[in-house]
Structures are given as C-alpha cells and as structure tokens.
Amino acid sequence: MTDTPVTDLFIIGGGINGCGIARDAAGRGLSVTLAEMNDLASATSSASTKLFHGGLRYLEYFEFRLVREALIEREVLLKAMPHISWPMRFVLPFHKDMRFDSETPTSKLLTTFMPWMKGRRPAWLIRLGLFLYDSLGKRGILPGTAKLDLTSDPAGRPLKSKFKTAFEYSDCWIEDARLVVLNARDAQARGANILTRTEVLSAERHADHWLIRTKDHATGAEQEHRARMLVNAGGPWVADVLHQKLGQNSRENVRLVRGSHIVVPKLFDHGRCYFFQGTDGRIIFAIPYEQDFTLIGTTDADHPDPDTAPVCTEAEQDYLVDFASQYFEKPLRREDVVWTYSGVRPLYDDGASSATAATREYVLTLDQAQAPLLNVFGGKITTYRKLAEAALAKIGEVFPQLPADWTAGVALPGGDFPVEDVAKLTSKLAADYPFLTPYWAGRMIRAYGTEAWEVLGDAKTAGDLGQDFGATITARELDWAIASEWVRAGDDYLWRRTKLGLRLDETQRAAVDAYIQGKAAQLAA
C-alpha cells in the first residue's frame, strides 16, 4: 500500500458531473483519477432531452436563481462546443384551455387570487414568463422572444387548426453523451487518469487519505488507489456509494426520477422545436432529431432503484403518443415509435410532493471529519460547468491557493471555431475530402468539429477508410473512437458517441459490435 501513489482527487462517476469536475480540477493542476463502472455517460448523461436550456417551466416553481444561471450558461457553453451544440428556436402553441401543473407555486397563487381561471394558463402569464426568460440571462447570440401567426407560419402546418397563435423563444441543442466524452478527453489531456468499466468495490477512510479498491471489468484485475480527497459523483448511485461503498452515515439522499423519450419518423420539415403544454399541466418537447426523426419527451415518474434499468414503459409510450397527438394534425400511433430511451435523474431529495415538482438545484456537501469527502447531489446538464466550479470552490477548502476559475471560454476538443462557422467548416471538409456526401461531411463536423480531419487522416477515397459498416461508418472512424474515446462495445459508439444505431439493421449493428470488441480485446491483451 505504501508504494501506491497518492493522487489529490479520486472521482467516482463518469457522467457529466464527474467528468466536468475532473476537467476543471486537472486544469488547475490537481492530480485526478476518475473511475466509471460502465461506459462514460452510460446512465443519466446520455438519456437527457438533449437541451442546453434555462428551464422555462422552472419559473413556475420560482427557481429564479437556477434559471438565471442556466440562461447565462447557454451561450458560454455554445461558444466552447459549437460542433455538438447549436441554437434552436422553440415554438410554444397557445390555446385558451392550457393549464398549469396544479402543484406549482404559481398555480397555487393564481388559484387563490384568480379562482375563475380554474387552473388555465393565460396568454399574459406566458408572455410574462418569456419576458423573464429573455431578461434573466445575457443574450449575445440567441434571438429573443417573438409572437407567431400559425395560420401563415410554416410552424403551424403540422398542427391542428385550432392553434392560431404561438410564442417563439431560443434555447440550444446539445449532444449530451459527446459532451461527457469531450470533458473526459480534455481532463485526460490535462493529466487526469480516466478509468472506464472500472467499479469501485470499497473505499476506506483514514485521517489523511482514502484507500480505494477497484475492479477492472474488462480484465477482472483489482487495484488499490490512494487519494487525499474523494469526490462522489455517482449520479443515480450517489446515495448507494455514500452509504454502501463508503460506509458513511448521512441523511442526504436523492430522489430518482425517470424521464422517458420516444423517437418517431420525422413529423415536420422545419428545424424548430415544439414546446407542448398538456391538459394535466405538464409539458413535452417535439424536437428535430438526427435529420430524419422527431424526438418526443419527457415523462416524470419516480424510479425505485438505481440498479433497475430504466425503460420507457408501454404506458409512458402511450402517454407521449397521446400527448403529441393533441397537437399534431396527423395523430401518432404506437406503431410509429422506432426507438425509445429512458434515464434516471438523481434529484436532490427536498421532500417535494411529486417527481415533477422536485428541485433541479444541485447540492454539494463537504465532509472533512477525516480525509475529505465531497458528495454531488442533483444538477442538470446545462449547469454542469457551474456545478464543477462550485465543486472546485469546495475542493479549494482542502487545497488552498488553487488557481481561479478557468473553463469559461475554453473550447472542448474540436470546438475551436466560431459558432457561425459550422457551414464554412463543413464546406471545407467536403472540399478536402471530395468523396464525402453532404450528409457525411455534416455528420463528421457535428461529431468531431476541427478534429474531423484527424479522424479522416490522409484518405483520398472512401475505400481508404477501410471496412464500410453502413450509414457512413468506417473502420477508420471506429479505430479512432476506440483509441481516443474509450469505445469498447457497439453500444458505446452506436448509441452514445453517435446515434447511428437508428440507421443500421440488427445485422449491421452486430458487425459494428464485433469489430469494436475485437479491437478492444487486442488493446487489453
């Protein structure tokens, strides 16, 4: 044990919070080891609605600080990753029968003072909310709110004729799982040791260090690590890690909330997203997805156990299909669903009466009874960078004289180009590699940004990229993902690093998996 080197931080969890903290800490000169028991972003961080957004509906819960922080962050993040994030306009159709979630403070207030509204969401309230949305955060790139005439605007064509008016506002799309991987890559480039498929078996606390025992799932090898401080960013497993793996007595806990999504063939031709309000007061989004599809979600349901894999149940699929059908002229059917996914959001347990009402605020607790322990509860993907800064402020109590915050404005790998230059970069890639189709060139830039040239290398023809697996997937790209992005199985690449699993049949997906696993076995040997 005495020969085991001591790192400053050992981070448990390879989701967005763990990888964001690892990147920030490594960039300030701390030595960092991160262990993730599965693939990076294998749980919550690859199952979001994939938006950098302020959270318009959180205004109804009076979570103004959270919304303001998220609104300001949108453009900070957009500038750092213009390849995997981009601006999007959101269309909120209005009808006089729209209602509140009855549990919101706003609903309760209006029910008290305006009982004749009977829970309806009036147009003036939506305008007020959107005015706050425009005003709370700084906007330099994203345009403000506008009112639409759905009888003439293209956004009205797919909707039922009863919707005459809509409001339009700005937020951003984000490729969530790629965001995690790029944070991990940048952390590694700054000196962090990133261990995937490595489970923490136990952590023993001493006066001045933690002794952590891990198991590599690929090789079965067990290893001991020592660290001056432990960071528990276990996501849905944060309470399990705290109580079971670390053996700590604490009242802190999380509320596990399952959010499910469905994907259907493309429902509309424009590039805007719909924000739909239901008769039950909840909201869902209908979002252009992977060019040929529409993503619809999400639900909010309590989830019993982090070890129970979340799935989009038949009841949730029916709920989302029926919800969207209240708006679209052509009703959806369950048979239209081509894919579903579901994730568990580990929200801080604040005792809220419903899953929808549970706070999206993050909570960080620092325990310095012996070797320091930082626990990370909750959070949302839009505020991951601010959460990391807040975590480093706590870590700074243990490691004084840390350098100042640094991540704002620093590009992630491949993101070192202006937001407005995506089309220009795509055209340059197509010119440099004339064999690329327009779809292929666009996909490469949206996945890899300026690193697309590194992925394609010296190829003169498509044949130079090796085996063609379909959907523009080549052996060279898979080799790059295996070597640079911790890809070890087909699902890592097909459903997290990309969503190209949607474009392959079962035989093609199996071929990708066999190739990756064969290459990964060679690396492990």
Side-chain angles (χ1 to χ4, degrees):
M1 186 182 76
T2 54
D3 295 332
T4 305
V6 182
T7 58
D8 293 324
L9 296 184
F10 190 100
I11 300 173
I12 302 174
I16 189 55
N17 290 337
C19 292
I21 292 169
R23 179 198 185 212
D24 197 330
R28 301 191 201 213
L30 294 176
S31 56
V32 178
T33 295
L34 180 147
E36 163 56 47
M37 63 180 176
N38 298 307
D39 180 34
L40 296 173
S42 58
T44 306
S45 295
S46 60
S48 75
T49 311
K50 309 183 194 311
L51 300 176
F52 277 155
H53 65 133
L56 182 61
R57 72 184 179 92
Y58 302 150
L59 290 175
E60 294 186 2
Y61 293 92
F62 300 157
E63 296 206 37
F64 298 114
R65 191 213 64 80
L66 174 67
V67 174
R68 182 176 186 275
E69 180 178 80
L71 287 171
I72 293 171
E73 271 296 282
R74 294 175 307 177
E75 294 197 10
V76 174
L77 298 173
L78 180 61
K79 291 173 183 176
M81 54 198 82
H83 50 328
I84 63 168
S85 181
W86 52 89
M88 187 174 281
R89 293 291 277 175
F90 288 70
V91 177
L92 196 166
F94 175 75
H95 191 270
K96 60 183 178 60
D97 293 334
M98 290 173 174
R99 297 183 179 277
F100 289 97
D101 178 344
S102 60
E103 296 298 317
T104 70
T106 300
S107 178
K108 292 175 181 177
L109 196 63
L110 285 189
T111 298
T112 300
F113 292 101
M114 302 175 67
W116 59 89
M117 295 302 300
K118 297 182 179 179
R120 288 192 295 271
R121 187 183 267 115
W124 65 262
L125 186 67
I126 294 173
R127 290 193 191 97
L128 175 60
L130 290 171
F131 171 76
L132 289 172
Y133 210 68
D134 279 348
S135 304
L136 285 172
K138 301 172 182 176
R139 288 185 298 105
I141 299 173
L142 302 176
T145 299
K147 188 176 180 180
L148 301 181
D149 179 357
L150 293 179
T151 63
S152 59
D153 191 282
R157 290 174 194 159
L159 302 180
K160 291 182 176 179
S161 58
K162 74 174 185 178
F163 297 104
K164 309 294 186 186
T165 301
F167 301 96
E168 187 181 61
Y169 67 96
S170 292
D171 268 322
C172 299
W173 174 266
I174 177 62
E175 297 288 352
D176 52 4
R178 290 209 62 77
L179 173 65
V180 177
V181 170
L182 294 184
N183 270 271
R185 286 189 55 214
D186 201 48
Q188 183 185 64
R190 298 174 190 277
N193 183 24
I194 307 295
L195 306 173
T196 64
R197 291 175 164 82
T198 301
E199 182 180 359
V200 171
L201 300 176
S202 64
E204 185 179 303
R205 196 175 196 179
H206 297 272
D208 61 351
H209 72 279
W210 286 88
L211 178 64
I212 305 108
R213 190 161 59 91
T214 62
K215 181 177 181 178
D216 184 325
H217 285 172
T219 66
E222 295 187 8
Q223 187 177 357
E224 287 188 343
H225 311 260
R226 288 196 298 163
R228 296 179 179 87
M229 183 174 184
L230 192 67
V231 177
N232 174 14
W237 291 270
V238 63
D240 178 67
V241 168
L242 177 61
H243 301 135
Q244 305 301 322
K245 306 283 189 181
L246 310 184
Q248 302 298 303
N249 291 320
S250 172
R251 295 181 180 177
E252 303 286 350
N253 215 330
V254 289
R255 181 172 191 163
L256 302 180
V257 175
R258 186 177 67 254
S260 294
H261 302 75
I262 60 174
V263 176
V264 300
K266 184 166 66 172
L267 298 175
F268 45 90
D269 292 327
H270 58 79
R272 288 175 284 180
C273 165
Y274 290 103
F275 179 116
F276 292 153
Q277 304 170 87
T279 55
D280 60 356
R282 292 210 65 254
I283 65 100
I284 63 168
F285 296 101
I287 311 173
Y289 190 62
E290 297 294 316
Q291 295 194 24
D292 297 319
F293 303 91
T294 300
L295 171 66
I296 299 173
T298 179
T299 59
D300 273 322
D302 284 314
H303 192 75
D305 177 9
D307 290 326
T308 300
V311 295
C312 183
T313 65
E314 291 186 358
E316 287 177 308
Q317 291 182 52
D318 287 340
Y319 173 81
L320 292 172
V321 164
D322 292 344
F323 198 145
S325 295
Q326 295 170 24
Y327 281 82
F328 288 116
E329 182 65 36
K330 182 180 178 182
L332 273 70
R333 303 168 303 157
R334 171 90 75 78
E335 294 75 25
D336 296 325
V337 177
V338 299
W339 184 50
T340 70
Y341 68 88
S342 187
V344 176
R345 297 186 290 271
L347 307 180
Y348 184 72
D349 192 353
D350 61 351
S353 59
S354 71
T356 303
T359 183
R360 268 57 176 175
E361 289 273 14
Y362 53 81
V363 175
L364 309 176
T365 62
L366 177 61
D367 176 1
Q368 297 193 70
Q370 291 178 284
L373 168 65
L374 179 66
N375 293 299
V376 180
F377 297 93
K380 58 196 295 272
I381 199 164
T382 312
T383 53
Y384 89 89
R385 193 192 65 84
K386 296 298 290 184
L387 182 150
E389 286 185 345
L392 265 293
K394 295 278 190 184
I395 291 167
E397 297 179 28
V398 179
F399 299 95
Q401 299 180 331
L402 279 181
D405 295 345
W406 66 274
T407 56
V410 177
L412 287 171
D416 50 337
F417 64 94
V419 174
E420 64 273 13
D421 280 3
V422 172
K424 184 187 299 184
L425 207 65
T426 304
S427 296
K428 185 177 188 315
L429 187 72
D432 290 347
Y433 298 93
F435 58 85
L436 296 177
T437 64
Y439 165 77
W440 194 352
R443 181 182 76 77
M444 295 299 290
I445 293 300
R446 281 304 188 191
Y448 304 109
T450 56
E451 291 189 319
W453 282 263
E454 182 179 336
V455 178
L456 296 171
D458 59 358
K460 303 299 182 186
T461 68
D464 293 337
L465 299 174
Q467 183 176 348
D468 177 0
F469 293 90
T472 72
I473 303 167
T474 63
R476 182 171 294 187
E477 183 178 350
L478 294 181
D479 289 345
W480 194 89
I482 292 164
S484 303
E485 295 192 343
W486 298 277
V487 165
R488 295 294 179 267
D491 282 359
D492 301 351
Y493 175 84
L494 291 173
W495 299 110
R496 285 185 283 278
R497 307 305 183 277
T498 72
K499 296 298 181 289
L500 291 171
L502 284 167
R503 297 180 178 275
L504 301 183
D505 60 31
E506 187 175 344
T507 300
Q508 291 172 312
R509 290 194 291 267
V512 171
D513 182 61
Y515 182 89
I516 291 171
Q517 296 222 36
K519 287 283 186 173
Q522 292 175 18
L523 286 177

